[in-house]
Amino acid sequence: MSQPTLPGSDAPQTPGGSAPGTPAGTPRAAAPATVATPFFVSEAGLQVMKREIAKYPPEQKASAVIACLAVVQQERGWISDESEAFVAKLLEMPEIAVHEVTTFYNMFNQQPVGRFKLNVCTNLPCQLRGGQDALEHLCSRLGVAEGGTSADGAFTVQKAECLGACADAPVMLVNDRQMVSFMTPERLDELVAMLASRAVIERAA
Ligand code: FES
């Protein structure tokens, strides 16, 4: 059986590109020059945010919300209330609108998570092929409740909505990037053992 490979790069993600449909010559959003760097974002991260904002016309700067939240997540690992408030202020949009984005997308963590975040799909096609069993097996194996993090901080186990790979059910997503298919208890055990080894090696480094 092939071992799942994990995402190797933790390079900052900057979703989005040029504002779609923006006519040539349209004024770009002014990069906020006077925003103080908060403790949860590095100066480099703030500069990335400003570059993302500058891709959009001033009146559409809210379009950079996912990119800005992604910077926070990349640097801090999760999106706190104060992070949302900061992004809302930066983009001149209501905090609740930022919170709606954070809570809509699975990849945004609303609390700290373990080194490996395991999202098990429990929508119907996966459910019919053992998705719930896979979730319960993982929770039992790692000694966590659904949504919880293992005592050593290595694993967080969460439910996920359809991951778009129903034909490979049951499926699981590792750290929002690596899809793992046909998750039998044996494959789950193998994966957990491999990830646990990696966590130990990383801690010792
Ligand atoms: S229902 Fe699980 S991937 Fe679609």
Side-chain angles (χ1 to χ4, degrees), residues 121-127 161-167 169-171 179:
C121 177
T122 54
N123 277 189
L124 187 59
C126 281
Q127 198 69 284
E161 301 299 328
C162 179
L163 295 169
C166 315
V171 299
M179 187 81 77

Side-chain angles (χ1 to χ4, degrees), residues 111-122 131-150 154-160 172-173 188 192:
Q111 56 193 15
V113 297
R115 171 65 181 88
F116 298 108
K117 185 173 77 167
L118 310 179
N119 278 97
V120 182
C121 177
T122 54
Q132 184 64 32
D133 293 341
L135 178 69
E136 292 173 4
H137 181 83
L138 272 179
C139 288
S140 169
R141 161 84 194 239
L142 296 171
V144 300
E146 186 262 310
T149 298
S150 59
F155 296 96
T156 296
V157 182
Q158 298 176 339
K159 280 184 183 176
M172 181 174 78
L173 198 58
L188 287 170
V192 165

Side-chain angles (χ1 to χ4, degrees), residues 2-196:
S2 61
Q3 293 283 0
T5 54
L6 287 171
S9 167
D10 286 335
Q13 302 297 297
T14 56
S18 297
T22 303
T26 301
R28 299 292 169 174
T34 56
V35 176
T37 306
F39 74 89
F40 46 81
V41 177
S42 68
E43 180 55 35
L46 185 58
Q47 293 308 316
V48 172
M49 289 184 181
K50 290 180 178 178
R51 283 200 297 275
E52 291 297 324
I53 293 169
K55 291 177 179 176
Y56 300 93
E59 71 278 10
Q60 293 176 19
K61 62 165 62 173
S63 299
V65 63
I66 290 179
C68 290
L69 288 173
V71 171
V72 177
Q73 166 110 349
Q74 187 66 43
E75 295 202 351
R76 302 294 298 179
W78 66 294
I79 310 292
S80 63
D81 291 346
E82 55 195 346
S83 305
E84 289 182 343
F86 174 77
V87 170
K89 188 172 180 185
L90 197 61
L91 301 178
E92 298 176 330
M93 60 191 290
E95 287 182 29
I96 185 63
V98 176
H99 188 63
E100 286 169 354
V101 174
T102 304
T103 53
F104 182 81
Y105 292 104
N106 252 349
M107 81 277 279
F108 290 131
N109 304 318
Q110 296 168 63
Q111 56 193 15
V113 297
R115 171 65 181 88
F116 298 108
K117 185 173 77 167
L118 310 179
N119 278 97
V120 182
C121 177
T122 54
N123 277 189
L124 187 59
C126 281
Q127 198 69 284
L128 293 174
R129 298 193 59 175
Q132 184 64 32
D133 293 341
L135 178 69
E136 292 173 4
H137 181 83
L138 272 179
C139 288
S140 169
R141 161 84 194 239
L142 296 171
V144 300
E146 186 262 310
T149 298
S150 59
D152 61 359
F155 296 96
T156 296
V157 182
Q158 298 176 339
K159 280 184 183 176
E161 301 299 328
C162 179
L163 295 169
C166 315
D168 294 348
V171 299
M172 181 174 78
L173 198 58
V174 180
N175 282 357
D176 302 315
R177 298 183 187 183
Q178 181 70 48
M179 187 81 77
V180 188
S181 307
F182 306 113
M183 296 313 301
T184 62
E186 294 74 26
R187 283 175 61 87
L188 287 170
D189 288 345
E190 205 170 329
L191 175 70
V192 165
M194 187 267 287
L195 296 179

